[in-house]
Amino acid sequence: MENTSNIYLDKKALAYNIDFLRKEMGEDVLISSVVKGNAYGHGIETYVPLAEASGIRHFSVFSAEEAIKVKGCLKGDIPIMIMGFLSEAQLEWAIENEVEFFIFDFKRLRHAIHHAKLLGKKALFHLELETGMNRTGFDYATLKKEVFPFLKENTTSFVFKGICTHFAGAESISNYLRIEEQKKVFLKLRNAVLKAGFEPEYTHTCCSAATIRLPKMRFNMVRIGILQYGLWPSPEIKIEYLRRKKLQAFNLKRVLTWKSELMSIKDVKMGEFIGYGNNYQTSENKRIGIIPVGYANGYSRVLSNIGRVLINDIRTAVFGNVNMNSLAIDLSNAPEAKVGDEVILIGEKGEHEISVASFGELSNQLNYELLTRLPMDIPRLVECS
Ligand SMILES: *Cc1c(COP(=O)(O)O)cnc(C)c1O
């Protein structure tokens, strides 16, 4: 290995997940693949071409920067939707390049129409509606008083691509009441849009969790992030899916594997401390291995003394504090281990697995946070299981 660690994306696993999603959604629901956060750490440049090859025909990102990256690695003429940040110059870029974007305040709406006119193009927008997340979106009063009249004066400068909203925590049953309220508000606002005579092409409200929990809210488009990567938004959502389908077991396939290698081996006498400080003292003579991955490489410091890795089919423990660029593991049960041997930080080997979820549970990080913190500079490589 030339690098201290590599991330591998499993093409077959991704094809399996996307196939599952397509069957689950049916023909009439467009799946937008959400690839913000560097494709949830999978790496936009590596992930997006695989997703396109697996049949994805719409992508969602947070920023214009990400949209530019996605555009650069697509083969086909596939729509990209920016859900978050755009500077005014980037807004102009989006209109010029027919990139779709959310509009959630009147200033962006005015700028969009203004630049569409100057460019002689149409702004392709999705109107975001405020339903109770209280992040971004238009409320009823603003729609009626400002948005509708303004749009009616400018009908030739835009394509009404969609209306949308986002649920505030659909992955947890504890948010049930809040989500129910959001549903009601969304249906009311949607009615107002339709009554005012507009015909948005798409209606979309569902992220992964809502897609499973609220199938009626799928309308004709869903925005799927975490599920396509083979992970569940929360254990609850997986249970809900199994129950509804009356299944005993079902799993998506984890797309990502993270591997490093053994950099050095050392025998340490009983009673010695390992690494910085005195977080770990050996209770007997120990053999330890050093892995060239630390918190600067996305391996959380919280996993000090807690993390688990796989080496030669054996599951073993992280000893002591995770350093900036290295960590120590126990080799007592792997006497054959030698420098250069593969070490799996996330992934499976033989009977053992270090899942993203287990990794996350140990460090109290959500799947989402853990993945998106994997640094950009770890190489992403494609493999086929
Ligand atoms: C991130 C995001 C999604 C995707 O969420 P998942 O839980 O990963 O499916 C959908 N919609 C919006 C607005 C988002 O920001």
Side-chain angles (χ1 to χ4, degrees):
M1 203 181 272
E2 296 285 313
N3 316 293
T4 56
S5 72
N6 283 329
I7 285 171
Y8 299 87
L9 305 192
D10 185 338
K11 195 174 165 172
K12 269 201 184 151
L14 176 61
Y16 177 89
N17 298 338
I18 289 178
D19 206 45
F20 160 77
L21 287 166
R22 280 230 299 274
K23 286 196 184 115
E24 183 66 27
M25 298 307 132
E27 294 281 294
D28 302 330
V29 179
L30 176 67
I31 296 174
S32 182
S33 161
V34 179
V35 293
K36 65 190 183 191
N38 200 23
Y40 291 44
H42 291 63
I44 283 180
E45 282 94 344
T46 319
Y47 185 80
V48 165
L50 293 182
E52 183 181 7
S54 298
I56 290 291
R57 292 295 174 266
H58 195 277
F59 287 94
S60 292
V61 294
F62 180 77
S63 66
E65 263 179 298
E66 292 170 336
I68 290 168
K69 265 198 194 164
V70 172
K71 212 171 171 53
C73 53
L74 285 173
K75 280 214 188 91
D77 190 11
I78 294 179
I80 302 170
M81 176 170 85
I82 299 170
M83 305 187 291
F85 185 76
L86 278 168
S87 70
E88 196 176 339
Q90 288 169 334
L91 184 65
E92 203 182 336
W93 170 85
I95 294 165
E96 171 117 58
N97 290 280
E98 294 166 22
V99 169
E100 304 171 13
F101 50 89
F102 278 23
I103 291 186
F104 41 69
D105 64 33
F106 198 67
K107 188 169 162 215
R108 185 180 285 186
L109 176 57
R110 250 191 304 111
H111 284 160
I113 298 296
H114 171 74
H115 287 294
K117 282 185 176 154
L118 286 181
L119 289 163
K121 303 216 44 148
K122 288 175 193 274
L124 312 180
F125 69 72
H126 296 251
L127 205 62
E128 190 182 9
L129 307 177
E130 176 56 71
T131 59
M133 171 91 174
N134 292 316
R135 187 165 70 180
T136 44
F138 289 108
D139 60 20
Y140 183 69
T142 319
L143 286 175
K144 274 237 150 176
K145 225 172 68 210
E146 299 182 62
V147 177
F148 293 165
F150 186 74
L151 288 177
K152 283 188 177 152
E153 284 164 21
N154 292 287
T155 47
T156 54
S157 301
F158 65 86
V159 178
F160 205 144
K161 273 285 159 190
I163 44 170
C164 54
T165 194
H166 187 51
F167 292 112
E171 72 284 351
S172 173
I173 191 77
S174 62
N175 298 324
Y176 179 79
L177 285 177
R178 190 168 173 203
I179 304 294
E180 283 299 300
E181 190 56 32
Q182 281 194 276
K183 272 163 62 178
K184 274 189 219 148
V185 175
F186 183 76
L187 293 173
K188 181 183 147 201
L189 294 181
R190 176 168 176 262
N191 258 339
V193 171
L194 300 178
K195 264 204 180 141
F198 299 107
E199 295 175 353
E201 281 175 39
Y202 292 99
T203 301
H204 49 107
T205 67
C206 287
C207 58
S208 295
T211 292
I212 301 293
R213 181 156 273 167
L214 313 167
K216 287 211 176 95
M217 297 305 283
R218 289 175 186 167
F219 297 97
N220 60 350
M221 176 170 174
V222 291
R223 306 180 302 261
I224 303 290
I226 199 90
L227 283 174
Q228 64 183 322
Y229 305 106
L231 306 166
W232 296 88
S234 66
E236 283 175 39
I237 292 292
K238 181 175 175 185
I239 291 166
E240 171 138 353
Y241 182 77
L242 293 177
R243 278 212 182 121
R244 206 174 62 236
K245 298 283 169 173
K246 301 192 166 52
L247 292 170
Q248 286 303 315
F250 167 75
N251 241 324
L252 293 165
K253 300 196 168 164
R254 182 177 30 73
V255 173
L256 178 143
T257 294
W258 187 19
K259 291 180 191 170
S260 181
E261 65 178 38
L262 203 51
M263 179 175 83
S264 169
I265 295 177
K266 186 179 290 290
D267 289 305
V268 181
K269 290 226 158 57
M270 189 268 285
E272 293 284 316
F273 294 99
I274 292 179
Y276 288 117
N278 50 13
N279 206 356
Y280 186 89
Q281 185 176 28
T282 54
S283 55
E284 56 195 329
N285 290 347
K286 286 277 187 199
R287 172 164 284 191
I288 61 158
I290 304 296
I291 316 298
V293 169
Y295 58 80
N297 314 104
Y299 200 96
S300 174
R301 208 168 166 279
V302 178
L303 291 164
S304 297
N305 268 338
I306 290 177
R308 296 287 183 273
V309 305
L310 302 181
I311 178 160
N312 301 343
D313 293 358
I314 289 159
R315 192 183 167 86
T316 192
V318 170
F319 274 176
N321 288 326
V322 173
N323 295 181
M324 185 186 290
N325 293 109
S326 67
L327 55 84
I329 60 167
D330 180 10
L331 290 181
S332 309
N333 297 323
E336 321 270 272
K338 54 189 189 312
V339 167
D341 280 0
E342 177 181 280
V343 175
I344 297 176
L345 307 170
I346 294 175
E348 59 196 70
K349 188 80 187 285
E351 315 224 298
H352 298 292
E353 179 176 16
I354 309 289
S355 66
V356 174
S358 71
F359 201 85
E361 278 155 19
L362 291 173
S363 62
N364 259 329
Q365 277 177 314
L366 286 173
N367 291 345
Y368 296 84
E369 183 177 350
L370 189 145
L371 290 172
T372 51
R373 279 171 175 260
L374 290 172
M376 295 266 201
D377 61 3
I378 302 178
R380 269 74 170 173
L381 309 163
V382 177
E383 65 180 5
C384 209
S385 61

